[in-house]
């Protein structure tokens, strides 16, 4: 328990700081609102204030509203901003993973995506490596592949086929 009371000026300053953080979070979504054209006609996307309607449009564009009870649980503008910020963080993390994977592929295409060094993977890894061989219901859609990709996949599939005999 504090010995002294917090002054009104300190409380006011804390409230202003919280409001500034909230405004910064909303403004951080402006590039996405502009990119997906969430502003109505006649409003300048660069200078107009961001309203709850624009945030709802972005939620719909990213299909976040398909989550059960989404609109019931996220009723205020602050709730929408929080959900959208989490989704932006998720998108950024996905992009970082993709960039890391691309860098691994450029370095060593045979090892990229390999979880193990010996070449014996689990069922999901095996399925990923051998998928796309046959067309139709069992092997997925028939795809036109270049010779190098087909040979790379056969490299993993042939030893498995010989083990089944």
């Amino acid at each position: 328990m504090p010995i002294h009371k917090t002054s009104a000026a300190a409380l006011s300053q804390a409230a202003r700081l919280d409001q500034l953080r909230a405004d910064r979070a909303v403004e951080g979504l402006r590039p996405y609102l502009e990119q997906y054209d969430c502003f109505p006609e006649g409003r300048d996307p660069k200078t107009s204030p961001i309203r709850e309607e624009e945030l709802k449009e972005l939620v719909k564009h990213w299909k976040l509203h398909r989550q059960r009870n989404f609109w019931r649980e996220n009723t205020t503008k602050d709730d929408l901003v929080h959900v959208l910020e989490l989704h932006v963080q998720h998108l950024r993390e996905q992009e970082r993973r993709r960039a890391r994977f691309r860098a691994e592929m450029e370095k060593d295409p045979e090892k990229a995506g390999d979880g193990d060094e010996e070449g014996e993977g689990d069922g999901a890894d095996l399925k990923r490596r051998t998928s796309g061989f046959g067309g139709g219901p069992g092997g997925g859609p028939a795809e036109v592949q270049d010779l190098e990709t087909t040979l790379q996949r056969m490299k993993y599939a042939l030893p498995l086929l010989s083990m089944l005999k």
Side-chain angles (χ1 to χ4, degrees), residues 18 24 34 53 78 106-107 118 130 134 145:
D18 289 341
R24 188 178 300 154
E34 290 177 18
E53 290 79 25
D78 292 334
E106 289 174 3
K107 247 190 333 187
E118 296 87 17
T130 58
Q145 300 174 355

Side-chain angles (χ1 to χ4, degrees), residues 110 129 133 145-159:
E110 286 199 24
R129 288 179 179 174
F133 269 107
Q145 300 174 355
D146 61 339
L147 183 60
E148 185 177 340
T149 305
T150 305
L151 291 174
Q152 185 67 27
R153 288 186 175 171
M154 286 177 66
K155 174 181 156 185
Y156 294 110
L158 288 177

Side-chain angles (χ1 to χ4, degrees), residues 26-69:
V26 172
E27 285 299 318
L29 296 170
R30 187 176 293 276
Y32 301 102
L33 292 167
E34 290 177 18
Q35 179 182 355
Y36 298 115
D37 199 26
C38 295
F39 288 99
E41 292 293 323
R43 293 188 64 202
D44 183 23
K46 300 211 182 294
T47 59
S48 63
I50 297 174
R51 301 179 305 175
E52 192 171 348
E53 290 79 25
E54 286 89 21
L55 296 175
K56 286 181 180 180
E57 284 297 317
L58 188 58
V59 164
K60 289 175 187 175
H61 181 78
W62 280 336
K63 299 177 183 171
L64 300 174
H65 66 289
R66 291 187 177 178
Q67 179 184 355
R68 186 180 180 117
N69 295 327

Side-chain angles (χ1 to χ4, degrees), residues 80-148:
L80 292 176
V81 169
H82 179 70
V83 168
L84 290 168
E85 280 183 319
L86 291 176
H87 188 69
V88 166
Q89 289 174 358
H90 175 73
L91 292 175
R92 287 180 181 156
E93 180 60 33
Q94 276 185 335
E95 186 56 38
R96 277 193 291 271
R97 276 190 247 133
R98 286 183 184 132
R100 190 171 45 238
F101 179 74
R102 281 188 218 113
E104 287 176 10
M105 285 297 288
E106 289 174 3
K107 247 190 333 187
D108 189 6
E110 286 199 24
K111 274 191 156 182
D114 244 357
D116 49 57
E117 300 301 318
E118 296 87 17
E120 297 176 10
D122 59 330
D125 190 38
L126 175 64
K127 184 177 180 182
R128 180 182 55 78
R129 288 179 179 174
T130 58
S131 65
F133 269 107
E143 299 175 10
V144 177
Q145 300 174 355
D146 61 339
L147 183 60
E148 185 177 340

